[in-house]
Amino acid sequence: MGRPILRRWLRDETGSLTILSIYFLMITLIMGGLAIDFSNRAAKATKMQTATDAVAHAALLSRVTASAQDAKARAIEIARANLSVDLHGAAIRAGDIEFGRWDTDSASFTADADARDAVRVTARRIAARSNFVDNLMLHVVGYAGFEVETSTVFRMWEPPCFLNGFMARNVVDTQSNNVFGEYFCMHGNDHVSLNSNSLFKTGSVVSMPDLADLSVPASGMESNLGLAEALRSSWYPFTVLDRMDDAIADLLAGGTTYAPGLISGTGGIALSGKKLDVGSFEPGRLHTALTCGGNQSIAFQAGIYEDFTLVTNCKVKFNQGVELRGVIIASTNTDPKAFNSPSSLVLGLDDNCAPGGGAVLLTYGGFSVAADLAVHGSQVVALKDINFAAQATGIKGVSMIAGNDVNTTSNVQMNGCPPEGVDHLLTERVLRMAE
């Protein structure tokens, strides 16, 4: 009796599907757990990447005017807001924020604590910091968590248009029969206005946010040869103008940031009198003329002025026949003609775009030259309008940046220089992600 029952029990396959279902359930749970673990890792990595992007942007933006220590402190505040210590541990520390330089050609970052050109930020959730990303399933087989690192490099980019040409936060307005050469750029954040019969050579640029806003006569696209090829759509924040205060303060303090090596000696030489000549200045020294009230002016008499820095609150008049070479002049005067000349002002040495020898003029007001302006590898930055009439072949490398408009004349050859051929104290610097 007992043996037949035993044989039936051994042959009985009832319930086999239940056992198979258990196997499938275990496999499903394992695969689901693995999916959760890897999805969690991916989500944490995305969160960390977003954080390093934000921290790098904040660090480099702060570094423009702040010390490395202060810039890092600001960046750590952003890091804590994006990656709370309670949830992520010390994922970004001060040592994970590195200032340095970015080499575009090799696409490589080199750390340099004194640099302001680039920053690399790395977020780390690793065992050494006891903040690795915990696992749900893999810890069962001895894999407690994932180590995750993400990094971001931001760099400062200098738009080429700010190195050569006419840049206006509002409008650039030029007249007829001009020639615009290679490297030369015109940009208006509102628009650009052109007349007829100008030539735009290969490598020249005309830009504005909306090309539909270009102001030309009805036949302008046909009568301005090369214009169609030169057109670009661009917009810039013009942060360069916001840094003028810092630049002038730096010049008064010795120019270590904006004009390194150009100012020698201790302190500034206070100028007396309102008429200045070549003998009023000492080469390599900082000079000041800060005693003007209202619309009082100082006047440069005819002559060739070389290698000095002047900071003044006066209007500055350049009499006919003034040439400025290797000179920096900054005026905090806000008059629309804070810098003015009746004619024949020459900015920079005519050296066929060789480095050095240029002049830099900065003003809270405007710049106005009635006739015969010549510019060679030099810069004019004005918070108000820039108005001038130039010589027929008078522009060979210029950076003119206006807070309002740039207005110029007819019948001029406006030639650009390679970037090293134009002396700059200020230029637009835009943050860009490098990697």
Side-chain angles (χ1 to χ4, degrees):
M1 183 70 178
R3 288 180 180 177
I5 294 175
L6 179 61
R7 283 195 296 269
R8 285 198 303 271
W9 182 80
L10 290 174
R11 291 196 299 268
D12 191 357
E13 295 181 356
T14 303
S16 61
L17 290 178
T18 301
I19 298 174
L20 185 60
S21 297
I22 293 174
Y23 286 133
F24 281 129
L25 176 61
M26 292 178 63
I27 292 172
T28 301
L29 290 174
I30 291 172
M31 295 301 294
L34 291 176
I36 292 173
D37 285 345
F38 281 98
S39 295
N40 182 52
R41 181 196 180 283
K44 294 296 192 295
T46 300
K47 178 74 173 177
M48 292 166 65
Q49 187 66 65
T50 301
T52 58
D53 293 349
V55 173
H57 186 276
L60 192 55
L61 187 62
S62 298
R63 186 70 178 102
V64 172
T65 56
S67 67
Q69 182 177 358
D70 289 345
K72 286 186 178 184
R74 173 58 181 151
I76 288 297
E77 293 178 6
I78 302 300
R80 296 292 178 263
N82 282 270
L83 296 175
S84 69
V85 175
D86 291 342
L87 295 177
H88 301 274
I92 300 178
R93 299 173 176 175
D96 298 321
I97 303 170
E98 305 170 277
F99 294 106
R101 305 184 187 281
W102 178 259
D103 187 301
T104 303
D105 293 334
S106 62
S108 61
F109 176 87
T110 302
D112 180 349
D114 296 325
R116 299 172 185 265
D117 301 327
V119 67
R120 179 171 60 196
V121 175
T122 304
R124 295 180 170 93
R125 294 194 59 173
I126 55 178
R129 297 188 181 183
S130 301
N131 67 338
F132 55 75
V133 178
D134 293 326
N135 287 323
L136 173 68
M137 181 61 66
L138 288 176
H139 77 277
V140 175
V141 293
Y143 197 81
F146 290 106
E147 292 194 322
V148 181
E149 293 189 13
T150 62
S151 67
T152 299
V153 176
F154 265 89
R155 67 181 178 96
M156 285 294 187
W157 174 63
E158 295 183 345
C161 276
F162 282 84
L163 305 178
N164 262 296
F166 306 147
M167 306 295 294
R169 189 150 54 184
N170 292 334
V171 177
V172 173
D173 188 352
T174 69
Q175 302 305 310
S176 305
N177 303 305
N178 294 309
V179 176
F180 300 95
E182 184 183 9
Y183 300 111
F184 202 89
C185 180
M186 288 189 295
H187 172 86
N189 250 15
D190 188 280
H191 70 276
V192 174
S193 179
L194 306 171
N195 213 305
S196 302
N197 301 317
S198 289
L199 172 63
F200 295 85
K201 293 185 177 180
T202 301
S204 61
V205 172
V206 177
S207 75
M208 65 210 79
D210 187 347
L211 296 183
D213 292 331
L214 175 67
S215 177
V216 290
S219 60
M221 295 304 295
E222 293 75 27
S223 64
N224 291 292
L225 298 180
L227 174 58
E229 292 75 16
L231 289 173
R232 305 286 189 277
S233 178
S234 302
W235 178 90
Y236 300 105
F238 277 77
T239 58
V240 58
L241 300 174
D242 300 329
R243 299 203 308 278
M244 192 178 292
D245 284 342
D246 292 328
I248 293 176
D250 180 67
L251 292 176
L252 288 170
T256 55
T257 299
Y258 286 88
L262 298 182
I263 298 175
S264 60
T266 302
I269 299 172
L271 301 177
S272 59
K274 296 297 188 284
K275 291 186 178 180
L276 307 175
D277 57 30
V278 173
S280 302
F281 300 93
E282 294 185 22
R285 296 298 304 277
L286 167 68
H287 302 75
T288 60
L290 302 172
T291 59
C292 287
N295 284 326
Q296 289 183 310
S297 296
I298 55 176
F300 281 67
Q301 308 306 304
I304 299 175
Y305 295 78
E306 297 183 281
D307 303 324
F308 65 83
T309 299
L310 169 63
V311 177
T312 181
N313 66 347
C314 306
K315 291 174 62 177
V316 180
K317 179 180 180 180
F318 302 106
N319 286 332
Q320 184 174 355
V322 170
E323 296 187 26
L324 304 176
R325 301 174 181 176
V327 168
I328 300 171
I329 302 177
S331 172
T332 59
N333 194 283
T334 60
D335 191 89
K337 294 185 178 181
F339 288 129
N340 65 89
S341 176
S343 67
S344 303
L345 174 63
V346 180
L347 303 180
L349 176 65
D350 187 0
D351 55 9
N352 198 30
C353 295
V360 175
L361 303 183
L362 310 178
T363 178
Y364 291 173
F367 174 90
S368 177
V369 178
D372 295 332
L373 172 68
V375 185
H376 309 289
S378 296
Q379 181 176 53
V380 178
V381 183
L383 296 188
K384 294 185 177 178
D385 291 339
I386 294 177
N387 301 295
F388 68 95
Q391 296 178 7
T393 58
I395 305 294
K396 295 180 182 177
V398 62
S399 168
M400 285 189 170
I401 305 171
N404 290 337
D405 300 336
V406 175
N407 300 290
T408 185
T409 187
S410 303
N411 303 305
V412 179
Q413 285 195 16
M414 305 191 194
N415 298 302
C417 283
E420 64 273 13
V422 181
D423 288 350
H424 303 88
L425 192 75
L426 287 172
T427 188
E428 183 80 342
R429 307 192 76 196
V430 179
L431 273 69
R432 275 191 167 184
M433 188 180 292
E435 67 172 23

